[in-house]
Amino acid sequence: MIRVLLADDQSLVRAGFRALLDAQPDIEVTGEAADGDEAVALVRELRPDVVLMDIRMPRLDGLAATRAITEDASLADVRVVMLTTFELDEYVFEAIRAGASGFLVKDTEPAELLRAVRAVVDGDALLSPGVTRRLIEEFAARSKGPAGPHGLDELTEREREVMALVGIGLSNEEIARRLVVSPLTAKTHVSRTMVKLGARDRAQLVVRAYESGLVRPGWLG
């Protein structure tokens, strides 16, 4: 079973998500939180697989709550998916840096929500092309320049190539087509790259890809 914690200050939003998730044979909602402080406390108590976290909440917002969760080594297996009103939320950049595994808009289709929960448990990240573009734009605006490829010494040439493709938002299937390899081979390269760099998921690879200079502004068109 995939164990999910809901964190949103709107009870109707939580109720809607709970009804959908609890109806699935492989997913169960283990708890609900109405603010960031409660979310962090429940995550430490219940150890869910996925947290659906609203960005804007009272007492402690979703961004600070996400950082508290991802910086706790004992919670390394917990994945946080941010809930936003708009895909290009102003906090996208900060939340990915804080360790969020991706984003969902609150009015997403039910099938997409279910796919997303299952995807992050498998180590995938929820980064649409629009969100990826926003990340790169933010890095470009906030950084004087890439820090250089230091820290990537352990990667093979193919792994660097795959990391760059992840950085511009390609899926495993798209990477496989680009490199003329099987999707399984592409997934293996991505997984090995994450392990070598200590990245939680693909979202963190996007960050590292830009910071190292493997991805530069303008690559997304």
Side-chain angles (χ1 to χ4, degrees):
M1 294 290 287
I2 299 173
R3 304 170 72 248
V4 179
L5 177 74
L6 304 175
D8 194 296
D9 61 336
Q10 298 182 46
S11 58
L12 284 178
V13 172
R14 298 197 308 271
F17 281 176
R18 175 182 277 275
L20 174 63
L21 294 169
D22 276 344
Q24 307 307 307
D26 60 332
I27 301 174
E28 65 173 347
V29 175
T30 61
E32 298 183 24
D35 60 61
D37 282 332
E38 187 179 7
V40 174
L42 284 177
V43 167
R44 289 173 175 156
E45 175 187 348
L46 302 174
R47 305 298 172 112
D49 300 301
V50 180
V51 182
L52 296 181
M53 180 87 73
D54 188 20
I55 285 185
R56 296 175 177 84
M57 291 187 293
R59 295 179 60 191
L60 188 71
D61 65 28
L63 181 61
T66 296
R67 185 174 292 110
I69 293 168
T70 59
E71 289 180 350
D72 187 336
S74 69
L75 302 176
D77 292 333
V78 178
R79 296 291 176 262
V80 179
V81 176
M82 308 302 297
L83 301 174
T84 68
T85 304
F86 302 102
E87 183 181 71
L88 297 184
D89 190 281
E90 62 181 300
Y91 295 116
V92 164
F93 174 85
E94 288 84 355
I96 291 296
R97 290 298 299 267
S101 293
F103 289 80
L104 283 175
V105 289
K106 288 188 176 181
D107 61 353
T108 189
E109 293 295 324
E112 177 62 17
L113 172 64
L114 297 174
R115 186 199 70 78
V117 168
R118 295 178 176 117
V120 294
V121 170
D122 288 336
D124 291 334
L126 304 174
L127 291 175
S128 70
V131 169
T132 302
R133 179 176 290 106
R134 173 64 178 269
L135 279 176
I136 300 305
E137 290 173 349
E138 289 286 353
F139 276 123
R142 299 179 185 216
S143 302
K144 295 181 179 179
H150 63 276
L152 305 186
D153 297 340
E154 294 185 13
L155 301 184
T156 65
E157 190 63 32
R158 176 47 61 92
E159 287 167 348
R160 291 191 186 202
E161 187 176 10
V162 167
M163 181 176 173
L165 295 176
V166 170
I168 62 174
L170 298 191
S171 66
N172 287 344
E173 290 73 19
E174 292 168 331
I175 291 173
R177 289 195 295 269
R178 179 75 65 90
L179 300 180
V180 195
V181 298
S182 71
L184 179 59
T185 297
K187 182 177 182 179
T188 298
H189 284 312
V190 172
S191 297
R192 287 177 178 171
T193 301
M194 289 193 295
V195 169
K196 287 183 178 181
L197 297 180
R200 291 173 62 92
D201 51 35
R202 296 173 79 97
Q204 297 301 298
L205 282 189
V206 172
V207 174
R208 295 292 297 275
Y210 181 83
E211 289 180 332
S212 66
L214 287 179
V215 172
R216 296 188 297 275
W219 282 22
L220 297 179

